[in-house]
Amino acid sequence: MASHYEAPIRKPLVLGDKGYHDVSVDIAAPVEGKANKHWWIVFSISLAALLWGIGAIVYTISTGIGTWGLNKTVNWAWDITNFVWWVGIGHAGTLISAVLLLFRQKWRMAINRSAEAMTIFSVIQAGLFPIIHMGRPWLAYWVVPIPNQFGSLWVNFNSPLLWDVFAISTYLSVSLVFWWTGLLPDFGMIRDRAVKPFQKKIYSLVSFGWTGRAKDWQRFEEVSLVLAGLATPLVLSVHTIVSFDFATSVIPGWHTTIFPPYFVAGAIFSGFAMVQTLLIIMRKVCNLEAYITVQHIELMNIVIMITGSIVGCAYITELFIAWYSGVEYEQYAFLNRATGPYWWAYLLMMSCNVVSPQIMWFKKIRTSIMVSFIISIVVNVGMWFERFVIIVSSLHRDYLPSSWTMFSPTFVDIGIFIGTIGFFFVLFLLYARTFPVIAQAEVKSILKSSGERYKSLRAAGKPMYKIRKDGVVRETIMDSEGTLSNTDK
Amino acid sequence: MYTFSNRLRIGAIILMALGIVGMTIGFISAPGSVEEAKAIVAAHDDGHGGSHGEEHAVAGHETHDEASAEEHAAHDEHVYHQLANRPWAALYVAAFFFFMISLGVLAFYGIQRASQAGWSPLLFRVMEGITAYLVPGGIIVFVLLVLSVLHFNHLFPWMDPEVVAEDKIIQNKAGYLNPTFFLIRAAIYLGGWIAYREISRRLSIAQDKADDDSNFKKNFRWSAGFLVFYLVTESMMSWDWIMSVDPHWFSTLFGWYVFASMVVSGVTVIAMVAIYLKSKGYLPDVNDSHIHDLGKFMFGFSIFWTYLWFGQFMLIWYANIPEEVTYFVQRIEEYKLPFFGMVAMNFVFPLLVLMNSDYKRINWFVIMTGIVVLLGHYLDVFNMIMPSAVGDKWFIGLPELGALSFFSGAFIFWVFRALTKAPLQVTRNPYIEESRQFHY
């Protein structure tokens, strides 16, 4: 890995007078403590939403897909919108843990754990939709190429919907393995700190006997790098394959070659926005402000701003090429988006996705936690509408005017979506109470190069340790006035 | 300070001289009229009769089939244009290819500055040297575009009033594809890119002598601004300069696809120049970790290029909509070897060679892969321009090799001349110490 030298111009990533022990204590605190009233309130609301969603799903499957607002023309709407939206949100997790690892971004270490958790929980939500939007979901196993008694009746590998099956299931499994590997040293830390036998037992089980030997660490790093190298093309290909669902078709507004990279950019965009929403709350309720700093929020805002600009560039490209192509269907598809019955959705998507992230060019705004929180929600609303606009506005008016129609969701469509949001938060809230939400092992690895204490020691030209005459090694610490001394810590 | 070695200078001049000879022969042997073109085709069929490999045999065959059709004169006119275009297209492909390298380096440089990379400041002067070629390279491309507008060649069919008069589709695009607006846009792109390059270079040199970081910060802001400008203008440039040679065809991905080709070639050239300079003892602080990082970028961007190539190809192949698919039908029928060969050179080869971490630190491995990648991306540009310019009359012969030789000589000459103008290591960059101590 990179050397320990760090340019003084870089701002500290761990604030305050934090040593190794402080990191362990701070990160283990939410796991070792008890849930407060607020947690239970939010958890109950999420659980209620989840139960409502389960009800809606059971109703759909037992009664039929006709309970949804779909019709013969618009046969994909909220189901696939939500699917793509959830998959997109999941992408930021892999991006933060894999791509930022490949780019040696040290700031990712405070956010990668939660981002990956978010990936896994949102991919689970996404994974529900391909099943429940089927007319006969009990035959869903037919999409898997398994030898069978129909003379080995096989699947057709030409459909992007089948590629989706492979993409999503691979993505979920690789993300899960990547996440869990990273968790081993942290579970080990919680295990070693646990005082109650039950906790000790559980964390011993999930930490797989991690002892942190040099050889283990060496292989751990190697595996992380290899998985990051694999997860990066995976994350690109997964959302690319999702985009193929539309782009391989011949529907005007769907068939366009820019979809693969543009969906990926949109996924990073919405995923980072979701990470931002979650972490701004988490740093507050879990007292992690020293680790998830304003600089982290600023950097995530910059990623949101960049991907927002890329998405904006893609919107303009699509509009331009629609005109340039001279294909009237294509031109109408975009005219219909802007001025048709769903103009409001298009306007929402454009203003939330293209205009709103541009205010991040101002440093005052992108370092404001309040504004970041609001924009992160705005972006996710915008990205939901992006998928809705792409899917519904292209379907409801295409080649034959005699099949033009409209779409409006029923309470079942909405109920399932609310249910997945509830499910997501149920999982995330449980995670926040039982998992180390920050990768302590990784944060400790950057503490001495990027921690505020050590940076100020270096700036002051003081040694980080002092060996007393009796041979005891003392860490140098900083008191509240910022004076540095070698004492017990 | 770097001194331009005499051997390299003479080598560059020889390349340019050979190139001029090749290109001149190309222009002289191109037909000046429809009659000459018919004579060339006839002579070609008699003299070589299939000895030139499959493509030519097929090409000759088709010529006969079509010649027997009714539109005799129109066909002859078409063949004449193809043959007359060949030296121009060869020139344009090579001119654009080398220009694209320095523009790709500029984009990479802008990204390095905007992202405050800690490993790359040692290579900033190398990158600045390569981007110096933007000025002459940009002027040459611009002159070629002006010559096209002035009807010296037939590279852009939409510039020909006779073609446009009969073509409804092109007429509908005239709001964008018209010569004046085309040249104004080209001037804006080139002006913007060159302006950023000059400003950034000046600030970079000023920072060396400054006693604070204000130049560095200014450079950071200019770089961020440039990247926004580049994101938009690069896409538009690719529609203008490349996609419009096939004015009936369109693809939304195209701009980003060209970007990928540009940036992978750019990174490759940075690595090759850095390795050369280091081998001459000019970059003592550049270690194999820096080369390893460049190797990773070569590897990563090669895969990214393939991703976009495949995305564009597969979607058009899959949907098989007639107005789009002709683009690939023609390339697969008439350019089979360059079309698929390019995928092998730009994807399979770097994938296999640069996968191993140790190999990315071995200079000759990086140079060897670099040569293949650069040739592969030359073929990529070739595949984008040639089918509409010369159709099945393509060949990599004197005009193409001449142009390639001339521009490689000019590129080497200009880049290494620019490298002598400033110390090869930036001194007061806040990240230079990180870069010097960089180990991976």
Side-chain angles (χ1 to χ4, degrees):
Chain A
M1 283 311 221
S3 61
H4 277 290
Y5 174 80
E6 190 173 276
I9 194 173
R10 295 200 195 272
K11 283 181 255 159
L13 290 171
V14 179
L15 296 183
D17 183 21
K18 301 281 184 195
Y20 289 143
H21 184 62
D22 302 295
V23 176
S24 303
V25 172
D26 291 346
I27 291 168
V31 182
E32 290 165 350
K34 272 201 156 54
N36 61 17
K37 201 170 71 193
H38 294 110
W39 186 90
W40 282 108
I41 292 170
V42 181
F43 183 75
S44 312
I45 297 170
S46 308
L47 194 64
L50 165 61
L51 293 173
W52 176 253
I54 292 176
I57 291 172
V58 170
Y59 178 55
T60 302
I61 293 175
S62 55
T63 311
I65 216 82
T67 54
W68 291 3
L70 300 175
N71 53 53
K72 278 199 269 182
T73 300
V74 183
N75 37 30
W76 270 356
W78 275 54
D79 47 354
I80 300 301
T81 301
N82 296 335
F83 164 68
V84 182
W85 188 70
W86 276 119
V87 178
I89 284 176
H91 275 46
T94 319
L95 204 96
I96 288 167
S97 53
V99 178
L100 296 187
L101 173 70
L102 295 184
F103 283 109
R104 300 189 292 259
Q105 298 297 303
K106 291 179 180 175
W107 60 278
R108 78 171 216 293
M109 290 172 177
I111 56 175
N112 59 359
R113 176 66 40 75
S114 296
E116 284 170 60
M118 185 196 78
T119 293
I120 286 156
F121 304 148
S122 54
V123 173
I124 290 172
Q125 309 314 318
L128 290 171
F129 288 99
I131 311 274
I132 58 175
H133 91 306
M134 289 179 175
R136 299 181 184 85
W138 47 90
L139 297 180
Y141 68 96
W142 282 13
V143 304
V144 188
I146 35 173
N148 52 58
Q149 289 165 314
F150 299 104
S152 259
L153 181 65
W154 220 240
V155 286
N156 185 337
F157 284 94
N158 290 336
S159 166
L161 301 184
L162 182 66
W163 308 341
D164 269 345
V165 174
F166 300 134
I168 302 292
S169 53
T170 313
Y171 185 48
L172 182 62
S173 15
V174 172
S175 303
L176 198 60
V177 170
F178 195 12
W179 188 49
W180 209 274
T181 333
L183 275 162
L184 294 179
D186 292 10
F187 278 146
M189 182 269 282
I190 306 267
R191 168 201 65 199
D192 295 344
R193 289 173 56 89
V195 280
K196 293 180 207 142
F198 178 71
Q199 278 200 347
K200 194 147 200 116
K201 183 82 197 154
I202 295 292
Y203 287 104
S204 304
L205 277 173
V206 293
S207 61
F208 296 175
W210 176 266
T211 49
R213 292 174 309 160
K215 199 73 202 169
D216 297 346
W217 277 113
Q218 189 200 350
R219 286 176 179 146
F220 176 88
E221 298 260 317
E222 195 96 337
V223 164
S224 304
L225 268 181
V226 170
L227 280 177
L230 288 173
T232 304
L234 188 63
V235 76
L236 259 78
S237 68
V238 169
H239 219 64
T240 292
I241 288 170
V242 170
S243 84
F244 284 168
D245 294 349
F246 312 104
T248 51
S249 73
V250 291
I251 303 285
W254 278 12
H255 178 71
T256 171
T257 49
I258 206 169
F259 267 13
Y262 144 64
F263 266 53
V264 173
I268 301 166
F269 180 56
S270 68
F272 262 85
M274 191 62 147
V275 177
Q276 188 79 283
T277 314
L278 296 173
L279 287 188
I280 286 177
I281 298 173
M282 181 176 265
R283 70 195 284 275
K284 191 86 194 156
V285 297
C286 296
N287 295 318
L288 298 170
E289 283 107 328
Y291 305 97
I292 302 163
T293 68
V294 174
Q295 198 195 342
H296 289 84
I297 292 171
E298 184 185 358
L299 287 165
M300 285 196 275
N301 280 332
I302 291 175
V303 175
I304 290 172
M305 177 183 86
I306 293 169
T307 47
S309 306
I310 294 175
V311 167
C313 183
Y315 287 164
I316 297 165
T317 303
E318 278 196 302
L319 281 172
F320 172 77
I321 297 288
W323 170 79
Y324 180 87
S325 71
V327 180
E328 54 186 339
Y329 300 106
E330 200 70 37
Q331 290 171 343
Y332 181 72
F334 283 89
L335 188 73
N336 179 43
R337 278 182 196 179
T339 62
Y342 292 109
W343 63 272
W344 52 274
Y346 186 72
L347 186 70
L348 253 173
M349 138 186 160
M350 275 291 184
S351 44
C352 294
N353 294 349
V354 183
V355 182
S356 79
Q358 297 306 320
I359 64 168
M360 296 299 181
W361 286 98
F362 301 99
K363 185 158 177 112
K364 254 222 166 69
I365 288 175
R366 67 171 183 263
T367 49
S368 152
I369 295 173
M370 202 57 207
V371 179
S372 306
F373 186 70
I374 293 168
I375 291 291
S376 70
I377 289 170
V378 166
V379 164
N380 265 319
V381 172
M383 284 308 289
W384 192 88
F385 274 100
E386 183 200 287
R387 278 68 180 247
F388 178 79
V389 165
I390 289 173
I391 295 172
V392 173
S393 80
S394 309
L395 283 178
H396 87 121
R397 290 185 175 178
D398 63 350
Y399 292 110
L400 277 180
S402 59
S403 21
W404 285 8
T405 178
M406 288 295 289
F407 167 80
S408 51
T410 63
F411 79 97
V412 191
D413 285 296
I414 301 168
I416 293 175
F417 181 46
I418 291 174
T420 55
I421 294 176
F423 193 9
F424 176 82
F425 278 105
V426 163
L427 292 170
F428 199 83
L429 286 164
L430 288 173
Y431 149 81
R433 298 238 32 91
T434 47
F435 281 52
V437 293
I438 288 181
Q440 53 90 23
E442 298 208 53
V443 168
K444 285 174 184 169
S445 75
I446 58 162
L447 194 61
K448 291 202 170 161
S449 66
S450 310
E452 194 179 13
R453 178 210 279 189
Y454 297 95
K455 278 183 104 71
S456 48
L457 279 175
R458 265 200 303 276
K462 297 232 175 166
M464 297 196 181
Y465 295 97
K466 199 173 179 185
I467 301 172
R468 284 197 325 214
K469 278 202 182 106
D470 56 6
V472 179
V473 182
R474 288 278 177 252
E475 270 189 275
T476 314
I477 59 160
M478 183 169 55
D479 66 20
S480 51
E481 279 97 56
T483 332
L484 303 158
S485 58
N486 296 103
T487 41
D488 267 337
K489 175 72 196 170
Chain B
M1 283 302 255
Y2 171 67
T3 40
F4 198 168
S5 82
N6 263 331
R7 273 174 64 189
L8 193 63
R9 192 200 309 265
I10 291 166
I13 291 169
I14 290 174
L15 278 173
M16 282 193 272
L18 286 176
I20 288 173
V21 172
M23 287 192 294
T24 314
I25 295 173
F27 276 104
I28 291 171
S29 53
S33 65
V34 177
E35 281 65 41
E36 278 181 51
K38 280 164 86 172
I40 290 174
V41 172
H44 187 92
D45 286 350
D46 295 345
H48 300 274
S51 63
H52 253 304
E54 258 182 83
E55 289 91 350
H56 275 246
V58 173
H61 214 70
E62 276 179 8
T63 315
H64 286 305
D65 286 351
E66 283 172 40
S68 60
E70 286 177 3
E71 296 150 340
H72 232 80
H75 172 73
D76 290 343
E77 173 85 13
H78 182 64
V79 172
Y80 159 61
H81 275 312
Q82 290 187 331
L83 291 173
N85 263 340
R86 190 176 153 200
W88 285 100
L91 180 63
Y92 185 60
V93 168
F96 179 78
F97 176 65
F98 283 95
F99 173 76
M100 157 179 115
I101 291 175
S102 71
L103 186 58
V105 173
L106 190 70
F108 188 74
Y109 174 78
I111 293 169
Q112 294 300 306
R113 282 205 173 270
S115 64
Q116 306 185 36
W119 67 278
S120 55
L122 269 184
L123 300 168
F124 277 175
R125 282 291 142 78
V126 174
M127 299 185 210
E128 288 166 13
I130 299 170
T131 54
Y133 180 74
L134 270 183
V135 180
I139 290 171
I140 292 173
V141 170
F142 190 73
V143 167
L144 283 173
L145 297 177
V146 172
L147 291 179
S148 297
V149 167
L150 297 177
H151 307 296
F152 277 84
N153 60 51
H154 205 262
L155 288 178
F156 298 88
W158 58 268
M159 286 179 185
D160 187 340
E162 285 171 34
V163 173
V164 178
E166 291 169 13
D167 194 323
K168 257 257 150 46
I169 297 176
I170 299 182
Q171 281 166 25
N172 286 333
K173 300 181 186 192
Y176 188 77
L177 294 183
N178 68 73
T180 326
F181 189 24
F182 177 81
L183 288 181
I184 292 173
R185 285 196 305 268
I188 293 173
Y189 313 149
L190 286 166
W193 301 331
I194 291 172
Y196 164 70
R197 193 268 160 190
E198 296 306 320
I199 291 167
S200 181
R201 165 81 164 181
R202 210 156 294 160
L203 288 168
S204 168
I205 288 173
Q207 174 67 24
D208 280 359
K209 295 172 194 114
D211 43 18
D212 62 0
D213 288 344
S214 64
N215 294 305
F216 167 79
K217 284 176 186 153
K218 271 187 214 155
N219 214 340
F220 168 77
R221 294 214 180 95
W222 276 106
S223 304
F226 160 73
L227 288 173
V228 176
F229 177 77
Y230 175 81
L231 177 68
V232 178
T233 50
E234 189 276 334
S235 291
M236 294 177 72
M237 175 276 279
S238 72
W239 306 333
D240 285 4
W241 298 358
I242 304 182
M243 200 163 87
S244 83
V245 299
D246 271 300
H248 284 189
W249 185 75
F250 52 88
S251 167
T252 40
L253 181 63
F254 201 72
W256 298 359
Y257 171 70
V258 173
F259 163 75
S261 201
M262 184 181 288
V263 79
V264 69
S265 318
V267 172
T268 305
V269 171
I270 297 173
M272 292 167 87
V273 174
I275 289 171
Y276 171 78
L277 289 173
K278 178 149 179 69
S279 75
K280 299 285 169 198
Y282 285 110
L283 293 171
D285 287 338
V286 170
N287 57 43
D288 61 355
S289 292
H290 296 95
I291 304 302
H292 184 198
D293 264 27
L294 288 167
K296 279 189 279 189
F297 274 112
M298 284 165 67
F299 177 79
F301 280 126
S302 287
I303 293 170
F304 182 64
W305 173 87
T306 317
Y307 161 66
L308 295 181
W309 174 83
F310 181 74
Q312 180 167 275
F313 172 68
M314 195 281 280
L315 289 176
I316 289 174
W317 168 83
Y318 193 110
N320 203 16
I321 297 175
E323 68 235 24
E324 295 176 349
V325 83
T326 46
Y327 186 82
F328 288 113
V329 168
Q330 188 193 7
R331 276 158 182 77
I332 291 175
E333 280 178 0
E334 296 170 0
Y335 288 73
K336 194 162 257 149
L337 185 65
F339 186 70
F340 291 108
M342 151 186 102
V343 181
M345 293 167 85
N346 293 342
F347 174 58
V348 181
F349 189 77
L351 178 81
L352 296 177
V353 175
L354 292 180
M355 177 86 80
N356 188 319
S357 179
D358 296 332
Y359 293 175
K360 288 192 277 270
R361 293 169 183 273
I362 299 171
N363 288 343
W364 68 266
F365 250 99
V366 176
I367 294 280
M368 180 186 69
T369 324
I371 292 169
V372 175
V373 166
L374 285 180
L375 290 176
H377 285 280
Y378 169 79
L379 269 189
D380 188 13
V381 181
F382 187 87
N383 284 328
M384 288 195 270
I385 300 287
M386 286 296 178
S388 66
V390 303
D392 58 8
K393 304 286 178 294
W394 73 274
F395 191 68
I396 297 185
L398 267 184
E400 289 79 11
L401 294 175
L404 199 56
S405 159
F406 174 77
F407 283 101
S408 57
F411 184 84
I412 292 169
F413 187 82
W414 201 272
V415 167
F416 284 87
R417 211 181 64 111
L419 287 170
T420 62
K421 300 276 169 71
L424 279 183
Q425 186 165 326
V426 294
T427 45
R428 276 210 75 263
N429 185 299
Y431 296 113
I432 191 68
E433 192 55 28
E434 259 188 40
S435 184
R436 266 175 23 78
Q437 297 197 16
F438 174 65
H439 273 284
Y440 183 76

